[in-house]
Amino acid sequence: MTTTPTRDQGHEVPIHGEINIISGGLSGGECTTSQSRKYARGVMAGEAQESDQNPKPDLIFTKADLQDVIPHDNDPVVISVVTVGRKVHHVLVDQGSSADVMFWSTFNKLQLSPDQLRPYDGCLYGFVGDRVEVPGHLELRTTFTDCTTSYIVNISYLVVNAPSTYNILLGRPVLNRIGAIASSRYMKMKLPSLEGTMITTKSDQKEAKRCYKNNLKTKKGVYTITTQPPRE
């Protein structure tokens, strides 16, 4: 870190130093040397594998994407996916979630058997600190489509026994894996297809508003994985 004060262009106040990286944390897995090396090797292997594949399209949002968007203040991105031969609506795209979640009511509606669940040893906590029951997790083939092109991926869902107006919550694990980018301004999610084209899934704004308002009224929440309950 530099300590000599400098004057950067566009800043009237002198800059006294630079912070290049933040060390530590859990973004790269566990805090052990072996886990850090394993994570680094995985990143390098992923970059090499991606460079060998067909070039992916640039995922950009333009003014044309706003033409069918109703002006809004804070609507979430809510899409539909296909899994187990059924089209599932009310799927919340949440980049702040560290897990892909399927709620127990959806699990039952898909007529899945509890015998398909594998045990999960972690803990799931809501934003208010309440512990959520996790019967287990399972992997399901899930399809994203814009009625022209489709992308099929296996998603490991944590099945949680908690009330929610959403059926599924898509978090960072699958969004990063398929290279998807969601925009609440443009009310769309875009991802590259295997053929090198771009898939655009539109958010249902009416359903997004309804789910969001119902969550506020009934205090039904969205959950995130933590190793310890949040501090009071």
Side-chain angles (χ1 to χ4, degrees), residues 111-137:
Q111 299 180 358
L112 297 170
S113 170
D115 295 336
Q116 297 176 255
L117 292 174
R118 286 173 284 182
Y120 175 72
D121 298 328
C123 297
L124 195 66
Y125 294 91
F127 288 128
V128 295
D130 54 325
R131 185 166 179 169
V132 184
E133 180 184 351
V134 183
H137 69 98

mmCIF file with all atom_site columns, all heavy atoms in Angstrom, residues 111-137:
data_model
loop_
_atom_site.group_PDB
_atom_site.id
_atom_site.type_symbol
_atom_site.label_atom_id
_atom_site.label_alt_id
_atom_site.label_comp_id
_atom_site.label_asym_id
_atom_site.label_entity_id
_atom_site.label_seq_id
_atom_site.pdbx_PDB_ins_code
_atom_site.Cartn_x
_atom_site.Cartn_y
_atom_site.Cartn_z
_atom_site.occupancy
_atom_site.B_iso_or_equiv
_atom_site.pdbx_formal_charge
_atom_site.auth_seq_id
_atom_site.auth_comp_id
_atom_site.auth_asym_id
_atom_site.auth_atom_id
_atom_site.pdbx_PDB_model_num
ATOM 1   N N   . GLN A 1 111 ? -44.492 -33.186 -6.903 1.00 0.00 ? 111 GLN A N   1
ATOM 2   C CA  . GLN A 1 111 ? -44.733 -34.603 -6.606 1.00 0.00 ? 111 GLN A CA  1
ATOM 3   C C   . GLN A 1 111 ? -43.420 -35.380 -6.484 1.00 0.00 ? 111 GLN A C   1
ATOM 4   O O   . GLN A 1 111 ? -43.289 -36.504 -6.962 1.00 0.00 ? 111 GLN A O   1
ATOM 5   C CB  . GLN A 1 111 ? -45.637 -35.227 -7.678 1.00 0.00 ? 111 GLN A CB  1
ATOM 6   C CG  . GLN A 1 111 ? -47.003 -34.587 -7.764 1.00 0.00 ? 111 GLN A CG  1
ATOM 7   C CD  . GLN A 1 111 ? -47.891 -35.195 -8.827 1.00 0.00 ? 111 GLN A CD  1
ATOM 8   O OE1 . GLN A 1 111 ? -47.484 -36.088 -9.561 1.00 0.00 ? 111 GLN A OE1 1
ATOM 9   N NE2 . GLN A 1 111 ? -49.125 -34.705 -8.928 1.00 0.00 ? 111 GLN A NE2 1
ATOM 10  N N   . LEU A 1 112 ? -42.466 -34.758 -5.812 1.00 0.00 ? 112 LEU A N   1
ATOM 11  C CA  . LEU A 1 112 ? -41.187 -35.417 -5.558 1.00 0.00 ? 112 LEU A CA  1
ATOM 12  C C   . LEU A 1 112 ? -41.273 -36.195 -4.243 1.00 0.00 ? 112 LEU A C   1
ATOM 13  O O   . LEU A 1 112 ? -42.033 -35.836 -3.343 1.00 0.00 ? 112 LEU A O   1
ATOM 14  C CB  . LEU A 1 112 ? -40.070 -34.376 -5.488 1.00 0.00 ? 112 LEU A CB  1
ATOM 15  C CG  . LEU A 1 112 ? -39.823 -33.586 -6.784 1.00 0.00 ? 112 LEU A CG  1
ATOM 16  C CD1 . LEU A 1 112 ? -38.873 -32.424 -6.538 1.00 0.00 ? 112 LEU A CD1 1
ATOM 17  C CD2 . LEU A 1 112 ? -39.261 -34.499 -7.876 1.00 0.00 ? 112 LEU A CD2 1
ATOM 18  N N   . SER A 1 113 ? -40.475 -37.226 -4.142 1.00 0.00 ? 113 SER A N   1
ATOM 19  C CA  . SER A 1 113 ? -40.495 -38.068 -2.949 1.00 0.00 ? 113 SER A CA  1
ATOM 20  C C   . SER A 1 113 ? -39.403 -37.635 -1.974 1.00 0.00 ? 113 SER A C   1
ATOM 21  O O   . SER A 1 113 ? -38.281 -37.316 -2.381 1.00 0.00 ? 113 SER A O   1
ATOM 22  C CB  . SER A 1 113 ? -40.277 -39.531 -3.341 1.00 0.00 ? 113 SER A CB  1
ATOM 23  O OG  . SER A 1 113 ? -40.071 -40.325 -2.187 1.00 0.00 ? 113 SER A OG  1
ATOM 24  N N   . PRO A 1 114 ? -39.707 -37.629 -0.675 1.00 0.00 ? 114 PRO A N   1
ATOM 25  C CA  . PRO A 1 114 ? -38.676 -37.310 0.315  1.00 0.00 ? 114 PRO A CA  1
ATOM 26  C C   . PRO A 1 114 ? -37.490 -38.264 0.262  1.00 0.00 ? 114 PRO A C   1
ATOM 27  O O   . PRO A 1 114 ? -36.399 -37.928 0.729  1.00 0.00 ? 114 PRO A O   1
ATOM 28  C CB  . PRO A 1 114 ? -39.426 -37.424 1.649  1.00 0.00 ? 114 PRO A CB  1
ATOM 29  C CG  . PRO A 1 114 ? -40.856 -37.178 1.301  1.00 0.00 ? 114 PRO A CG  1
ATOM 30  C CD  . PRO A 1 114 ? -41.040 -37.761 -0.064 1.00 0.00 ? 114 PRO A CD  1
ATOM 31  N N   . ASP A 1 115 ? -37.693 -39.452 -0.318 1.00 0.00 ? 115 ASP A N   1
ATOM 32  C CA  . ASP A 1 115 ? -36.593 -40.405 -0.438 1.00 0.00 ? 115 ASP A CA  1
ATOM 33  C C   . ASP A 1 115 ? -35.503 -39.910 -1.384 1.00 0.00 ? 115 ASP A C   1
ATOM 34  O O   . ASP A 1 115 ? -34.371 -40.409 -1.353 1.00 0.00 ? 115 ASP A O   1
ATOM 35  C CB  . ASP A 1 115 ? -37.119 -41.759 -0.945 1.00 0.00 ? 115 ASP A CB  1
ATOM 36  C CG  . ASP A 1 115 ? -38.071 -42.408 0.052  1.00 0.00 ? 115 ASP A CG  1
ATOM 37  O OD1 . ASP A 1 115 ? -37.969 -42.082 1.244  1.00 0.00 ? 115 ASP A OD1 1
ATOM 38  O OD2 . ASP A 1 115 ? -38.925 -43.213 -0.379 1.00 0.00 ? 115 ASP A OD2 1
ATOM 39  N N   . GLN A 1 116 ? -35.835 -38.924 -2.231 1.00 0.00 ? 116 GLN A N   1
ATOM 40  C CA  . GLN A 1 116 ? -34.859 -38.374 -3.171 1.00 0.00 ? 116 GLN A CA  1
ATOM 41  C C   . GLN A 1 116 ? -33.914 -37.381 -2.510 1.00 0.00 ? 116 GLN A C   1
ATOM 42  O O   . GLN A 1 116 ? -32.888 -37.009 -3.090 1.00 0.00 ? 116 GLN A O   1
ATOM 43  C CB  . GLN A 1 116 ? -35.566 -37.677 -4.342 1.00 0.00 ? 116 GLN A CB  1
ATOM 44  C CG  . GLN A 1 116 ? -36.416 -38.604 -5.196 1.00 0.00 ? 116 GLN A CG  1
ATOM 45  C CD  . GLN A 1 116 ? -37.155 -37.848 -6.277 1.00 0.00 ? 116 GLN A CD  1
ATOM 46  O OE1 . GLN A 1 116 ? -38.355 -37.623 -6.199 1.00 0.00 ? 116 GLN A OE1 1
ATOM 47  N NE2 . GLN A 1 116 ? -36.432 -37.431 -7.298 1.00 0.00 ? 116 GLN A NE2 1
ATOM 48  N N   . LEU A 1 117 ? -34.252 -36.958 -1.297 1.00 0.00 ? 117 LEU A N   1
ATOM 49  C CA  . LEU A 1 117 ? -33.460 -35.948 -0.613 1.00 0.00 ? 117 LEU A CA  1
ATOM 50  C C   . LEU A 1 117 ? -32.206 -36.561 -0.001 1.00 0.00 ? 117 LEU A C   1
ATOM 51  O O   . LEU A 1 117 ? -32.243 -37.633 0.598  1.00 0.00 ? 117 LEU A O   1
ATOM 52  C CB  . LEU A 1 117 ? -34.279 -35.265 0.478  1.00 0.00 ? 117 LEU A CB  1
ATOM 53  C CG  . LEU A 1 117 ? -35.430 -34.375 0.013  1.00 0.00 ? 117 LEU A CG  1
ATOM 54  C CD1 . LEU A 1 117 ? -36.225 -33.883 1.213  1.00 0.00 ? 117 LEU A CD1 1
ATOM 55  C CD2 . LEU A 1 117 ? -34.909 -33.205 -0.802 1.00 0.00 ? 117 LEU A CD2 1
ATOM 56  N N   . ARG A 1 118 ? -31.100 -35.836 -0.152 1.00 0.00 ? 118 ARG A N   1
ATOM 57  C CA  . ARG A 1 118 ? -29.862 -36.212 0.519  1.00 0.00 ? 118 ARG A CA  1
ATOM 58  C C   . ARG A 1 118 ? -29.681 -35.320 1.741  1.00 0.00 ? 118 ARG A C   1
ATOM 59  O O   . ARG A 1 118 ? -30.068 -34.156 1.713  1.00 0.00 ? 118 ARG A O   1
ATOM 60  C CB  . ARG A 1 118 ? -28.676 -36.061 -0.451 1.00 0.00 ? 118 ARG A CB  1
ATOM 61  C CG  . ARG A 1 118 ? -28.625 -37.148 -1.505 1.00 0.00 ? 118 ARG A CG  1
ATOM 62  C CD  . ARG A 1 118 ? -27.556 -36.864 -2.535 1.00 0.00 ? 118 ARG A CD  1
ATOM 63  N NE  . ARG A 1 118 ? -27.975 -35.822 -3.477 1.00 0.00 ? 118 ARG A NE  1
ATOM 64  C CZ  . ARG A 1 118 ? -27.243 -35.402 -4.503 1.00 0.00 ? 118 ARG A CZ  1
ATOM 65  N NH1 . ARG A 1 118 ? -26.039 -35.915 -4.706 1.00 0.00 ? 118 ARG A NH1 1
ATOM 66  N NH2 . ARG A 1 118 ? -27.691 -34.478 -5.311 1.00 0.00 ? 118 ARG A NH2 1
ATOM 67  N N   . PRO A 1 119 ? -29.095 -35.846 2.797  1.00 0.00 ? 119 PRO A N   1
ATOM 68  C CA  . PRO A 1 119 ? -28.998 -35.053 4.039  1.00 0.00 ? 119 PRO A CA  1
ATOM 69  C C   . PRO A 1 119 ? -28.125 -33.817 3.871  1.00 0.00 ? 119 PRO A C   1
ATOM 70  O O   . PRO A 1 119 ? -27.160 -33.817 3.105  1.00 0.00 ? 119 PRO A O   1
ATOM 71  C CB  . PRO A 1 119 ? -28.375 -36.044 5.037  1.00 0.00 ? 119 PRO A CB  1
ATOM 72  C CG  . PRO A 1 119 ? -27.714 -37.086 4.197  1.00 0.00 ? 119 PRO A CG  1
ATOM 73  C CD  . PRO A 1 119 ? -28.510 -37.190 2.933  1.00 0.00 ? 119 PRO A CD  1
ATOM 74  N N   . TYR A 1 120 ? -28.486 -32.791 4.607  1.00 0.00 ? 120 TYR A N   1
ATOM 75  C CA  . TYR A 1 120 ? -27.730 -31.537 4.621  1.00 0.00 ? 120 TYR A CA  1
ATOM 76  C C   . TYR A 1 120 ? -27.377 -31.207 6.061  1.00 0.00 ? 120 TYR A C   1
ATOM 77  O O   . TYR A 1 120 ? -28.261 -31.130 6.926  1.00 0.00 ? 120 TYR A O   1
ATOM 78  C CB  . TYR A 1 120 ? -28.555 -30.413 3.998  1.00 0.00 ? 120 TYR A CB  1
ATOM 79  C CG  . TYR A 1 120 ? -27.891 -29.057 4.082  1.00 0.00 ? 120 TYR A CG  1
ATOM 80  C CD1 . TYR A 1 120 ? -26.789 -28.744 3.292  1.00 0.00 ? 120 TYR A CD1 1
ATOM 81  C CD2 . TYR A 1 120 ? -28.370 -28.092 4.967  1.00 0.00 ? 120 TYR A CD2 1
ATOM 82  C CE1 . TYR A 1 120 ? -26.180 -27.509 3.380  1.00 0.00 ? 120 TYR A CE1 1
ATOM 83  C CE2 . TYR A 1 120 ? -27.763 -26.847 5.054  1.00 0.00 ? 120 TYR A CE2 1
ATOM 84  C CZ  . TYR A 1 120 ? -26.668 -26.572 4.261  1.00 0.00 ? 120 TYR A CZ  1
ATOM 85  O OH  . TYR A 1 120 ? -26.073 -25.340 4.350  1.00 0.00 ? 120 TYR A OH  1
ATOM 86  N N   . ASP A 1 121 ? -26.076 -31.036 6.332  1.00 0.00 ? 121 ASP A N   1
ATOM 87  C CA  . ASP A 1 121 ? -25.603 -30.841 7.705  1.00 0.00 ? 121 ASP A CA  1
ATOM 88  C C   . ASP A 1 121 ? -25.459 -29.381 8.103  1.00 0.00 ? 121 ASP A C   1
ATOM 89  O O   . ASP A 1 121 ? -25.184 -29.078 9.260  1.00 0.00 ? 121 ASP A O   1
ATOM 90  C CB  . ASP A 1 121 ? -24.244 -31.537 7.902  1.00 0.00 ? 121 ASP A CB  1
ATOM 91  C CG  . ASP A 1 121 ? -24.353 -33.044 7.688  1.00 0.00 ? 121 ASP A CG  1
ATOM 92  O OD1 . ASP A 1 121 ? -25.422 -33.593 7.988  1.00 0.00 ? 121 ASP A OD1 1
ATOM 93  O OD2 . ASP A 1 121 ? -23.376 -33.645 7.205  1.00 0.00 ? 121 ASP A OD2 1
ATOM 94  N N   . GLY A 1 122 ? -25.603 -28.452 7.148  1.00 0.00 ? 122 GLY A N   1
ATOM 95  C CA  . GLY A 1 122 ? -25.428 -27.042 7.468  1.00 0.00 ? 122 GLY A CA  1
ATOM 96  C C   . GLY A 1 122 ? -26.646 -26.462 8.162  1.00 0.00 ? 122 GLY A C   1
ATOM 97  O O   . GLY A 1 122 ? -27.624 -27.159 8.466  1.00 0.00 ? 122 GLY A O   1
ATOM 98  N N   . CYS A 1 123 ? -26.583 -25.166 8.433  1.00 0.00 ? 123 CYS A N   1
ATOM 99  C CA  . CYS A 1 123 ? -27.681 -24.456 9.084  1.00 0.00 ? 123 CYS A CA  1
ATOM 100 C C   . CYS A 1 123 ? -28.158 -23.337 8.170  1.00 0.00 ? 123 CYS A C   1
ATOM 101 O O   . CYS A 1 123 ? -27.364 -22.702 7.479  1.00 0.00 ? 123 CYS A O   1
ATOM 102 C CB  . CYS A 1 123 ? -27.236 -23.860 10.425 1.00 0.00 ? 123 CYS A CB  1
ATOM 103 S SG  . CYS A 1 123 ? -26.736 -25.112 11.631 1.00 0.00 ? 123 CYS A SG  1
ATOM 104 N N   . LEU A 1 124 ? -29.441 -23.123 8.183  1.00 0.00 ? 124 LEU A N   1
ATOM 105 C CA  . LEU A 1 124 ? -30.029 -22.063 7.375  1.00 0.00 ? 124 LEU A CA  1
ATOM 106 C C   . LEU A 1 124 ? -30.762 -21.108 8.298  1.00 0.00 ? 124 LEU A C   1
ATOM 107 O O   . LEU A 1 124 ? -31.562 -21.534 9.140  1.00 0.00 ? 124 LEU A O   1
ATOM 108 C CB  . LEU A 1 124 ? -30.996 -22.669 6.356  1.00 0.00 ? 124 LEU A CB  1
ATOM 109 C CG  . LEU A 1 124 ? -31.431 -21.774 5.205  1.00 0.00 ? 124 LEU A CG  1
ATOM 110 C CD1 . LEU A 1 124 ? -30.254 -21.448 4.312  1.00 0.00 ? 124 LEU A CD1 1
ATOM 111 C CD2 . LEU A 1 124 ? -32.507 -22.470 4.386  1.00 0.00 ? 124 LEU A CD2 1
ATOM 112 N N   . TYR A 1 125 ? -30.476 -19.816 8.152  1.00 0.00 ? 125 TYR A N   1
ATOM 113 C CA  . TYR A 1 125 ? -31.077 -18.808 9.020  1.00 0.00 ? 125 TYR A CA  1
ATOM 114 C C   . TYR A 1 125 ? -31.723 -17.725 8.189  1.00 0.00 ? 125 TYR A C   1
ATOM 115 O O   . TYR A 1 125 ? -31.224 -17.355 7.122  1.00 0.00 ? 125 TYR A O   1
ATOM 116 C CB  . TYR A 1 125 ? -30.027 -18.176 9.942  1.00 0.00 ? 125 TYR A CB  1
ATOM 117 C CG  . TYR A 1 125 ? -29.450 -19.131 10.956 1.00 0.00 ? 125 TYR A CG  1
ATOM 118 C CD1 . TYR A 1 125 ? -28.306 -19.863 10.677 1.00 0.00 ? 125 TYR A CD1 1
ATOM 119 C CD2 . TYR A 1 125 ? -30.062 -19.316 12.191 1.00 0.00 ? 125 TYR A CD2 1
ATOM 120 C CE1 . TYR A 1 125 ? -27.781 -20.755 11.598 1.00 0.00 ? 125 TYR A CE1 1
ATOM 121 C CE2 . TYR A 1 125 ? -29.549 -20.201 13.123 1.00 0.00 ? 125 TYR A CE2 1
ATOM 122 C CZ  . TYR A 1 125 ? -28.402 -20.919 12.812 1.00 0.00 ? 125 TYR A CZ  1
ATOM 123 O OH  . TYR A 1 125 ? -27.891 -21.795 13.726 1.00 0.00 ? 125 TYR A OH  1
ATOM 124 N N   . GLY A 1 126 ? -32.842 -17.226 8.676  1.00 0.00 ? 126 GLY A N   1
ATOM 125 C CA  . GLY A 1 126 ? -33.493 -16.106 8.022  1.00 0.00 ? 126 GLY A CA  1
ATOM 126 C C   . GLY A 1 126 ? -32.872 -14.795 8.452  1.00 0.00 ? 126 GLY A C   1
ATOM 127 O O   . GLY A 1 126 ? -32.009 -14.740 9.328  1.00 0.00 ? 126 GLY A O   1
ATOM 128 N N   . PHE A 1 127 ? -33.337 -13.720 7.813  1.00 0.00 ? 127 PHE A N   1
ATOM 129 C CA  . PHE A 1 127 ? -32.788 -12.404 8.127  1.00 0.00 ? 127 PHE A CA  1
ATOM 130 C C   . PHE A 1 127 ? -33.078 -11.988 9.563  1.00 0.00 ? 127 PHE A C   1
ATOM 131 O O   . PHE A 1 127 ? -32.354 -11.196 10.141 1.00 0.00 ? 127 PHE A O   1
ATOM 132 C CB  . PHE A 1 127 ? -33.352 -11.355 7.172  1.00 0.00 ? 127 PHE A CB  1
ATOM 133 C CG  . PHE A 1 127 ? -32.795 -11.467 5.778  1.00 0.00 ? 127 PHE A CG  1
ATOM 134 C CD1 . PHE A 1 127 ? -33.628 -11.533 4.681  1.00 0.00 ? 127 PHE A CD1 1
ATOM 135 C CD2 . PHE A 1 127 ? -31.432 -11.511 5.566  1.00 0.00 ? 127 PHE A CD2 1
ATOM 136 C CE1 . PHE A 1 127 ? -33.114 -11.628 3.415  1.00 0.00 ? 127 PHE A CE1 1
ATOM 137 C CE2 . PHE A 1 127 ? -30.908 -11.616 4.295  1.00 0.00 ? 127 PHE A CE2 1
ATOM 138 C CZ  . PHE A 1 127 ? -31.761 -11.680 3.207  1.00 0.00 ? 127 PHE A CZ  1
ATOM 139 N N   . VAL A 1 128 ? -34.159 -12.501 10.137 1.00 0.00 ? 128 VAL A N   1
ATOM 140 C CA  . VAL A 1 128 ? -34.494 -12.124 11.510 1.00 0.00 ? 128 VAL A CA  1
ATOM 141 C C   . VAL A 1 128 ? -33.849 -13.059 12.519 1.00 0.00 ? 128 VAL A C   1
ATOM 142 O O   . VAL A 1 128 ? -34.088 -12.948 13.716 1.00 0.00 ? 128 VAL A O   1
ATOM 143 C CB  . VAL A 1 128 ? -36.023 -12.111 11.705 1.00 0.00 ? 128 VAL A CB  1
ATOM 144 C CG1 . VAL A 1 128 ? -36.662 -11.040 10.860 1.00 0.00 ? 128 VAL A CG1 1
ATOM 145 C CG2 . VAL A 1 128 ? -36.614 -13.471 11.396 1.00 0.00 ? 128 VAL A CG2 1
ATOM 146 N N   . GLY A 1 129 ? -33.035 -14.006 12.046 1.00 0.00 ? 129 GLY A N   1
ATOM 147 C CA  . GLY A 1 129 ? -32.296 -14.862 12.947 1.00 0.00 ? 129 GLY A CA  1
ATOM 148 C C   . GLY A 1 129 ? -32.972 -16.171 13.276 1.00 0.00 ? 129 GLY A C   1
ATOM 149 O O   . GLY A 1 129 ? -32.441 -16.969 14.050 1.00 0.00 ? 129 GLY A O   1
ATOM 150 N N   . ASP A 1 130 ? -34.174 -16.420 12.696 1.00 0.00 ? 130 ASP A N   1
ATOM 151 C CA  . ASP A 1 130 ? -34.859 -17.673 12.984 1.00 0.00 ? 130 ASP A CA  1
ATOM 152 C C   . ASP A 1 130 ? -34.233 -18.803 12.181 1.00 0.00 ? 130 ASP A C   1
ATOM 153 O O   . ASP A 1 130 ? -33.910 -18.654 11.011 1.00 0.00 ? 130 ASP A O   1
ATOM 154 C CB  . ASP A 1 130 ? -36.350 -17.558 12.667 1.00 0.00 ? 130 ASP A CB  1
ATOM 155 C CG  . ASP A 1 130 ? -36.602 -17.090 11.244 1.00 0.00 ? 130 ASP A CG  1
ATOM 156 O OD1 . ASP A 1 130 ? -35.791 -16.277 10.765 1.00 0.00 ? 130 ASP A OD1 1
ATOM 157 O OD2 . ASP A 1 130 ? -37.576 -17.539 10.625 1.00 0.00 ? 130 ASP A OD2 1
ATOM 158 N N   . ARG A 1 131 ? -34.080 -19.941 12.818 1.00 0.00 ? 131 ARG A N   1
ATOM 159 C CA  . ARG A 1 131 ? -33.494 -21.097 12.165 1.00 0.00 ? 131 ARG A CA  1
ATOM 160 C C   . ARG A 1 131 ? -34.552 -21.796 11.314 1.00 0.00 ? 131 ARG A C   1
ATOM 161 O O   . ARG A 1 131 ? -35.681 -21.977 11.743 1.00 0.00 ? 131 ARG A O   1
ATOM 162 C CB  . ARG A 1 131 ? -32.921 -22.058 13.201 1.00 0.00 ? 131 ARG A CB  1
ATOM 163 C CG  . ARG A 1 131 ? -32.175 -23.233 12.582 1.00 0.00 ? 131 ARG A CG  1
ATOM 164 C CD  . ARG A 1 131 ? -31.351 -23.957 13.616 1.00 0.00 ? 131 ARG A CD  1
ATOM 165 N NE  . ARG A 1 131 ? -30.654 -25.094 13.038 1.00 0.00 ? 131 ARG A NE  1
ATOM 166 C CZ  . ARG A 1 131 ? -29.703 -25.771 13.659 1.00 0.00 ? 131 ARG A CZ  1
ATOM 167 N NH1 . ARG A 1 131 ? -29.337 -25.416 14.874 1.00 0.00 ? 131 ARG A NH1 1
ATOM 168 N NH2 . ARG A 1 131 ? -29.126 -26.788 13.078 1.00 0.00 ? 131 ARG A NH2 1
ATOM 169 N N   . VAL A 1 132 ? -34.154 -22.188 10.101 1.00 0.00 ? 132 VAL A N   1
ATOM 170 C CA  . VAL A 1 132 ? -35.083 -22.766 9.153  1.00 0.00 ? 132 VAL A CA  1
ATOM 171 C C   . VAL A 1 132 ? -34.781 -24.249 8.991  1.00 0.00 ? 132 VAL A C   1
ATOM 172 O O   . VAL A 1 132 ? -33.619 -24.649 8.887  1.00 0.00 ? 132 VAL A O   1
ATOM 173 C CB  . VAL A 1 132 ? -34.974 -22.056 7.784  1.00 0.00 ? 132 VAL A CB  1
ATOM 174 C CG1 . VAL A 1 132 ? -36.029 -22.598 6.833  1.00 0.00 ? 132 VAL A CG1 1
ATOM 175 C CG2 . VAL A 1 132 ? -35.133 -20.558 7.955  1.00 0.00 ? 132 VAL A CG2 1
ATOM 176 N N   . GLU A 1 133 ? -35.834 -25.031 8.953  1.00 0.00 ? 133 GLU A N   1
ATOM 177 C CA  . GLU A 1 133 ? -35.658 -26.474 8.800  1.00 0.00 ? 133 GLU A CA  1
ATOM 178 C C   . GLU A 1 133 ? -35.255 -26.805 7.366  1.00 0.00 ? 133 GLU A C   1
ATOM 179 O O   . GLU A 1 133 ? -35.877 -26.341 6.413  1.00 0.00 ? 133 GLU A O   1
ATOM 180 C CB  . GLU A 1 133 ? -36.958 -27.190 9.147  1.00 0.00 ? 133 GLU A CB  1
ATOM 181 C CG  . GLU A 1 133 ? -36.869 -28.710 9.016  1.00 0.00 ? 133 GLU A CG  1
ATOM 182 C CD  . GLU A 1 133 ? -38.195 -29.385 9.267  1.00 0.00 ? 133 GLU A CD  1
ATOM 183 O OE1 . GLU A 1 133 ? -39.138 -28.694 9.707  1.00 0.00 ? 133 GLU A OE1 1
ATOM 184 O OE2 . GLU A 1 133 ? -38.290 -30.598 9.013  1.00 0.00 ? 133 GLU A OE2 1
ATOM 185 N N   . VAL A 1 134 ? -34.203 -27.615 7.219  1.00 0.00 ? 134 VAL A N   1
ATOM 186 C CA  . VAL A 1 134 ? -33.726 -28.044 5.908  1.00 0.00 ? 134 VAL A CA  1
ATOM 187 C C   . VAL A 1 134 ? -33.843 -29.569 5.836  1.00 0.00 ? 134 VAL A C   1
ATOM 188 O O   . VAL A 1 134 ? -32.969 -30.280 6.329  1.00 0.00 ? 134 VAL A O   1
ATOM 189 C CB  . VAL A 1 134 ? -32.265 -27.602 5.666  1.00 0.00 ? 134 VAL A CB  1
ATOM 190 C CG1 . VAL A 1 134 ? -31.824 -27.993 4.259  1.00 0.00 ? 134 VAL A CG1 1
ATOM 191 C CG2 . VAL A 1 134 ? -32.115 -26.107 5.873  1.00 0.00 ? 134 VAL A CG2 1
ATOM 192 N N   . PRO A 1 135 ? -34.909 -30.100 5.232  1.00 0.00 ? 135 PRO A N   1
ATOM 193 C CA  . PRO A 1 135 ? -35.048 -31.558 5.140  1.00 0.00 ? 135 PRO A CA  1
ATOM 194 C C   . PRO A 1 135 ? -33.923 -32.214 4.350  1.00 0.00 ? 135 PRO A C   1
ATOM 195 O O   . PRO A 1 135 ? -33.596 -33.376 4.582  1.00 0.00 ? 135 PRO A O   1
ATOM 196 C CB  . PRO A 1 135 ? -36.399 -31.731 4.435  1.00 0.00 ? 135 PRO A CB  1
ATOM 197 C CG  . PRO A 1 135 ? -37.138 -30.448 4.691  1.00 0.00 ? 135 PRO A CG  1
ATOM 198 C CD  . PRO A 1 135 ? -36.076 -29.392 4.716  1.00 0.00 ? 135 PRO A CD  1
ATOM 199 N N   . GLY A 1 136 ? -33.316 -31.479 3.399  1.00 0.00 ? 136 GLY A N   1
ATOM 200 C CA  . GLY A 1 136 ? -32.223 -32.048 2.619  1.00 0.00 ? 136 GLY A CA  1
ATOM 201 C C   . GLY A 1 136 ? -32.027 -31.285 1.325  1.00 0.00 ? 136 GLY A C   1
ATOM 202 O O   . GLY A 1 136 ? -32.527 -30.179 1.152  1.00 0.00 ? 136 GLY A O   1
ATOM 203 N N   . HIS A 1 137 ? -31.281 -31.881 0.405  1.00 0.00 ? 137 HIS A N   1
ATOM 204 C CA  . HIS A 1 137 ? -31.047 -31.245 -0.894 1.00 0.00 ? 137 HIS A CA  1
ATOM 205 C C   . HIS A 1 137 ? -31.112 -32.298 -1.983 1.00 0.00 ? 137 HIS A C   1
ATOM 206 O O   . HIS A 1 137 ? -30.945 -33.494 -1.742 1.00 0.00 ? 137 HIS A O   1
ATOM 207 C CB  . HIS A 1 137 ? -29.699 -30.519 -0.905 1.00 0.00 ? 137 HIS A CB  1
ATOM 208 C CG  . HIS A 1 137 ? -28.511 -31.437 -0.853 1.00 0.00 ? 137 HIS A CG  1
ATOM 209 N ND1 . HIS A 1 137 ? -27.810 -31.814 -1.975 1.00 0.00 ? 137 HIS A ND1 1
ATOM 210 C CD2 . HIS A 1 137 ? -27.915 -32.071 0.186  1.00 0.00 ? 137 HIS A CD2 1
ATOM 211 C CE1 . HIS A 1 137 ? -26.824 -32.625 -1.625 1.00 0.00 ? 137 HIS A CE1 1
ATOM 212 N NE2 . HIS A 1 137 ? -26.865 -32.805 -0.316 1.00 0.00 ? 137 HIS A NE2 1
#
